[in-house]
């Protein structure tokens, strides 16, 4: 029932390696501060921050799994080498 959490759990190595090094959390906080000017409520701030960080991490997970799988110990199987 929680496919999104299972997806992030399976790729937790990527999440831990990227959420601080690529400043995903910092950029998410800056974007949320811009949105928080219009709606000044702490629940809105934290929910927007969660959504922005999850979207950014999902994009980074896709990029790393698609183009740089060797960073996580996975290797693509190329059809022309088999």
């Amino acid at each position: 029932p929680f496919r999104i959490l299972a997806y992030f759990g399976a790729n937790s190595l990527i999440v831990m390696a990227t959420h601080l090094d690529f400043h995903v959390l910092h950029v998410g906080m800056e974007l949320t501060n811009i949105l928080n000017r219009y709606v000044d409520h702490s629940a809105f701030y934290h929910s927007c921050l969660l959504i922005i960080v999850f979207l950014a991490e999902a994009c980074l997970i896709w990029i790393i799994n698609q183009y740089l799988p060797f960073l996580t110990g996975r290797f693509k199987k190329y059809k022309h080498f088999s």
Side-chain angles (χ1 to χ4, degrees), residues 3-68:
R3 296 178 98 168
I4 294 174
L5 293 178
Y7 177 73
F8 281 101
N11 294 294
S12 61
L13 178 65
I14 296 172
V15 172
M16 288 297 129
T18 60
H19 83 278
L20 291 176
D21 291 340
F22 293 141
H23 303 287
V24 172
L25 192 58
H26 177 71
V27 172
M29 290 172 68
E30 293 295 325
L31 288 173
T32 306
N33 280 332
I34 292 169
L35 293 173
N36 204 32
R37 292 179 190 163
Y38 304 109
V39 179
D40 191 18
H41 197 272
S42 65
F44 178 76
Y45 176 82
H46 292 294
S47 60
C48 281
L49 180 61
L50 183 73
I51 290 168
I52 289 171
V53 169
F54 266 60
L55 288 174
E57 287 293 339
C59 292
L60 287 171
I61 288 170
W62 182 80
I63 289 170
I64 289 174
N65 283 339
Q66 192 72 24
Y67 299 109
L68 304 168

